[in-house]
């Protein structure tokens, strides 16, 4: 039977929103895609978590989800209750609140973090939706050229400016890791995989690079990148999307 939100889930979620010591399963396909940022949050926060992959998506698992799509986050509390959070943006927001990834926690810092994250997401989506998935070779060349001449350069100038204004300390907001820092790592990974050091590097974009380095030095993230799941996801992403 098709499911909807259940009133019983209200208390469980409200009581667990700030609990960091529960265990987490993030279910998505073997791609970075819409789970990239949420996996990064879980990997860098040191949470007890694992990637789950569908085994029989179309026939059984799809209809068990609230929207018929992945990703979905499943959080298990100490007493065995499950918090279920659907939709990629909502999962990122839920985990960002939980792991305190909105700056100092006041509304202004949250707005700043979300604005930076949204701007970065627009760049990523531009490439994914207007370039990576295009099949026609000639049109793909036009859109690739447009991305690297019209979309990427102003993005890099703007984000360097904001990061320099924050002290070029490897963070967008204050001196704390935030959702914006993690989203930037996704964009940098994408651009560097596509163009090596042509646009983004320590020399060309030092403030952006400082964020990338800081996140890449987080021990739990380093460990996650050594896992079989991470390697399989990255290889498949490269095969299908070219980065
Ligand atoms: N609005 C959803 C979109 C999710 C979505 O489209 N997921 C795709 C994979 S990227 C999916 O589950 N496709 C399988 C299907 O539709 O059966 C979100 O942001 O989470």
């Amino acid at each position: 039977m098709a499911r909807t939100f259940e009133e019983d889930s209200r208390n469980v979620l409200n009581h667990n929103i700030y609990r960091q010591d529960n265990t987490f399963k993030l279910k998505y396909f073997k791609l970075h895609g819409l789970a990239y940022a949420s996996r990064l949050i879980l990997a860098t926060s040191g949470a007890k978590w694992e990637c789950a992959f569908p085994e029989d998506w179309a026939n059984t698992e799809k209809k068990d989800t609230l929207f018929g799509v992945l990703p979905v986050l499943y959080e298990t509390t100490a007493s065995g209750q499950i918090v279920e959070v659907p939709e990629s943006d909502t999962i990122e927001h839920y985990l960002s609140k939980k792991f305190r990834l909105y700056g100092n926690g006041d509304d202004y810092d949250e707005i700043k973090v979300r604005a930076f994250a949204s701007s970065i997401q627009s760049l990523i989506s531009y490439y994914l939706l207007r370039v990576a998935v295009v099949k026609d070779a000639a049109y793909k060349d036009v859109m690739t050229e447009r991305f690297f001449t019209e979309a990427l350069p102003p993005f890099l100038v703007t984000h360097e400016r904001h990061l320099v204004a924050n002290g070029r300390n490897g963070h967008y907001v204050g001196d704390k890791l935030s959702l914006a820092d993690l989203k930037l790592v996704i964009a940098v990974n994408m651009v560097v995989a596509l163009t090596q050091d042509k646009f983004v590097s320590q020399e060309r974009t030092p403030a952006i690079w400082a964020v990338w380095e800081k996140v890449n030095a987080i021990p739990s993230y380093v460990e996650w990148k050594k896992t079989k799941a991470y390697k399989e996801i990255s290889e498949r992403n490269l095969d299908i999307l070219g980065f």
Side-chain angles (χ1 to χ4, degrees):
M1 195 179 70
R3 297 176 51 225
T4 187
F5 288 95
E6 285 155 22
E7 196 49 33
D8 286 356
S9 303
R10 179 184 303 277
N11 280 343
V12 188
L13 189 144
N14 285 341
H15 282 121
N16 281 277
I17 175 98
Y18 293 117
R19 285 216 73 116
Q20 300 184 350
D21 55 352
N22 290 334
T23 58
F24 304 86
K25 248 186 207 172
L26 187 66
K27 191 165 181 178
Y28 190 60
F29 304 97
K30 272 192 191 164
L31 281 173
H32 289 306
L34 295 174
Y36 210 155
S38 294
R39 286 179 180 144
L40 262 176
I41 295 174
L42 290 163
T44 53
S45 65
K48 288 173 274 173
W49 78 288
E50 60 183 276
C51 287
F53 305 110
E55 286 167 13
D56 185 21
W57 171 246
N59 295 318
T60 58
E61 291 158 273
K62 184 176 170 75
K63 64 177 180 315
D64 288 340
T65 65
L66 285 162
F67 291 93
V69 288
L70 296 175
V72 177
L73 176 74
Y74 300 96
E75 173 177 353
T76 306
T77 71
S79 61
Q81 290 172 303
I82 307 284
V83 179
E84 175 182 355
V85 185
E87 289 291 306
S88 55
D89 269 2
T90 313
I91 299 168
E92 287 170 23
H93 176 61
Y94 178 75
L95 291 174
S96 295
K97 275 177 91 95
K98 180 181 290 290
F99 292 107
R100 314 280 180 185
L101 296 175
Y102 283 141
N104 69 11
D106 76 6
D107 291 326
Y108 190 59
D109 264 14
E110 179 174 334
I111 291 296
K112 281 168 65 179
V113 170
R114 293 179 76 154
F116 290 131
S118 169
S119 168
I120 299 163
Q121 186 58 51
S122 295
L123 183 86
I124 296 166
S125 299
Y126 186 125
Y127 188 80
L128 273 177
L129 303 177
R130 297 198 229 171
V131 186
V133 298
V134 173
K135 298 267 183 287
D136 180 84
Y139 186 60
K140 195 176 183 111
D141 284 350
V142 171
M143 291 311 291
T144 302
E145 170 73 9
R146 217 175 262 176
F147 177 79
F148 287 115
T149 56
E150 292 174 14
L152 184 60
F155 171 91
L156 295 175
V157 170
T158 304
H159 281 255
E160 276 288 308
R161 187 180 81 240
H162 290 302
L163 288 164
V164 167
N166 192 50
R168 216 199 240 199
N169 62 357
H171 298 296
Y172 271 97
V173 175
D175 59 0
K176 282 185 78 226
L177 181 72
S178 74
L179 176 66
D181 300 350
L182 299 178
K183 287 264 189 189
L184 186 68
V185 168
I186 299 173
V188 169
N189 285 347
M190 182 180 88
V191 172
V192 169
L194 294 167
T195 62
Q196 292 77 49
D197 61 357
K198 190 167 170 205
F199 292 94
V200 176
S201 68
Q202 188 147 37
E203 289 69 37
R204 291 182 198 280
T205 53
I208 287 174
W209 199 253
V211 176
W212 187 86
E213 282 193 323
K214 203 144 208 172
V215 172
N216 275 276
I218 297 173
S220 55
Y221 179 51
V222 173
E223 283 311 306
W224 184 57
K225 286 198 292 178
K226 292 181 191 160
T227 62
K228 183 167 171 267
Y230 179 85
K231 286 180 186 158
E232 286 179 3
I233 291 164
S234 297
E235 278 165 21
R236 191 141 179 274
N237 211 80
L238 186 63
D239 275 358
I240 293 178
L241 292 168
F243 62 88

